[in-house]
Amino acid sequence: MAERTQFRFGLVGYGEIGSTLGAGLRGAGLERITCYDKYAFDGPYADLIQGRAREAGVTLVRSNAELAEAADLIVSVTPGVASLESAEAFAPVLTGRHSFLDFASATPKVKQGVAERLSATGALLGDGAIEGTPLHGYAMRMLSSGPAGERVRDLLVPWGMQIAFMGPALGTASGIKILRSVLIKGIEALHDEMLLAARQYGIDEVVLASASKTLDRPWMDTVKSLTPSGVIHAKRRAEELEMSAEAVADSGVEPIMARAIAQRLRWKESLGLKDHFKGLVPSTYQEALEAMAEKAGLKPIGEA
């Protein structure tokens, strides 16, 4: 592990994530933390932002230029929709002495766009992703990648943060997070739809208990079971989900998720995978995925 050293740390954004990082690092003994948040002095949450910063001992500044002057390592934790706009605002003020990493939830393409907008500055660039939540404090799980990925890890991990470097290709950390969100945020939406409908029937607790029993095993066991068997049983499962959608609709809840699942399963059925595997369940989930990708004409990003 790298040695703990004092350095000048900058944050872009002092919302829930930024304030958690600022307070945690100051509490751990990092002395110089500066933040630029465009709503810190003029906006509905100005009092909240100023109060959090004052309590933590984090210095708020009024411009990108002031932050660039005060910090050497800058981490942006603004929403992903603001990443490109934020990069353009920093382009005139960053120099070769800066390391700049965007930790917003955004696609690899967006993070590469950030790097393009900052490439002429000479700054060491990278991207990051947050896998944990502020409930875990400033040691929430994070990923980094790109040319500055190791630097942010080596500087911040000794101060108590949890950052895993995922490799030199910029966008890797963001790709892991944003695609993982299909599952994690999907689980949230599925729970909402399932439980709202079940509540209407008066069986929400029973349905949740039944589902919990099925899922009470390591997640990889679920993947290894559902993905291979799914290429054989897509038609039957689609039919079941179409009935599920009807039941949800009958409850008065719009079956957005159930209909989407049925559509995805019908797509899988259309690939002819049951015939491809001659009715036998493939031995691994990787084998099932390879067959789906081949039948769908999908190629890895970057391949011709």
Side-chain angles (χ1 to χ4, degrees):
M1 180 182 293
E3 180 182 354
R4 176 183 286 197
T5 58
Q6 291 288 342
F7 64 96
R8 303 191 307 166
F9 182 54
L11 281 165
V12 186
Y14 209 67
E16 189 177 22
I17 297 292
S19 61
T20 299
L21 298 180
L25 288 168
R26 283 290 290 126
L30 189 61
E31 295 172 359
R32 302 181 68 178
I33 303 179
T34 307
C35 176
Y36 168 63
D37 188 308
K38 66 180 182 179
Y39 299 113
F41 300 99
D42 182 20
Y45 303 108
D47 289 343
L48 175 62
I49 293 170
Q50 291 176 35
R52 284 172 168 173
R54 185 168 51 250
E55 183 178 348
V58 170
T59 301
L60 293 174
V61 294
R62 293 179 178 270
S63 70
N64 304 79
E66 289 180 83
L67 183 63
E69 178 65 28
D72 300 310
L73 172 65
I74 298 174
V75 167
S76 178
V77 288
T78 61
V81 293
S83 288
L84 296 178
E85 179 185 351
S86 179
E88 289 172 355
F90 273 99
V93 298
L94 295 184
T95 69
R97 72 173 176 82
H98 291 106
S99 295
F100 183 95
L101 295 96
D102 187 327
F103 270 80
S105 293
T107 67
K109 186 176 180 179
V110 167
K111 297 302 180 76
Q112 289 156 9
V114 169
E116 288 171 6
R117 285 158 175 77
L118 298 176
S119 60
T121 66
L124 190 66
L125 305 175
D127 78 297
I130 300 167
E131 286 193 329
T133 76
L135 295 175
H136 303 132
Y138 81 112
M140 65 188 90
R141 295 188 312 278
M142 305 176 83
L143 308 176
S144 69
S145 62
E150 285 184 291
R151 178 168 172 76
V152 73
R153 178 199 64 188
D154 291 346
L155 285 174
L156 291 175
V157 167
W159 292 98
M161 289 185 63
Q162 187 181 167
I163 302 175
F165 176 59
M166 305 309 296
L170 197 145
T172 302
S174 299
I176 293 169
K177 167 63 186 292
I178 208 69
L179 292 176
R180 173 181 176 270
S181 291
V182 175
L183 175 65
I184 303 303
K185 304 304 187 290
I187 289 172
E188 175 186 347
L190 287 167
H191 274 88
D192 289 346
E193 187 163 303
M194 177 185 77
L195 290 174
L196 277 172
R199 176 184 177 276
Q200 297 303 100
Y201 289 100
I203 55 174
D204 50 300
E205 292 186 4
V206 179
V207 168
L208 187 58
S210 176
S212 297
K213 285 182 180 179
T214 300
L215 296 174
D216 187 21
R217 56 180 177 176
W219 189 252
M220 279 306 301
D221 288 355
T222 299
V223 174
K224 291 174 182 177
S225 170
L226 289 181
T227 305
S229 63
V231 299
I232 304 300
H233 302 300
K235 181 177 183 295
R236 175 175 59 79
R237 291 176 181 175
E239 292 169 347
E240 181 177 330
L241 257 294
E242 286 161 355
M243 292 294 289
S244 298
E246 287 186 31
V248 172
D250 290 343
S251 78
V253 176
E254 186 178 359
I256 297 170
M257 298 302 294
R259 285 173 179 158
I261 295 164
Q263 184 179 0
R264 174 56 71 191
L265 292 172
R266 287 296 188 188
W267 170 84
K268 184 160 59 173
E269 178 198 354
S270 74
L271 298 177
L273 293 166
K274 187 171 184 178
D275 290 340
H276 174 80
F277 286 107
K278 297 180 172 54
L280 298 175
V281 175
S283 57
T284 67
Y285 80 89
Q286 294 97 331
E287 190 178 352
L289 284 178
E290 286 292 332
M292 276 192 275
E294 179 184 347
K295 294 288 186 179
L298 298 175
K299 293 183 179 180
I301 299 295
E303 286 191 8

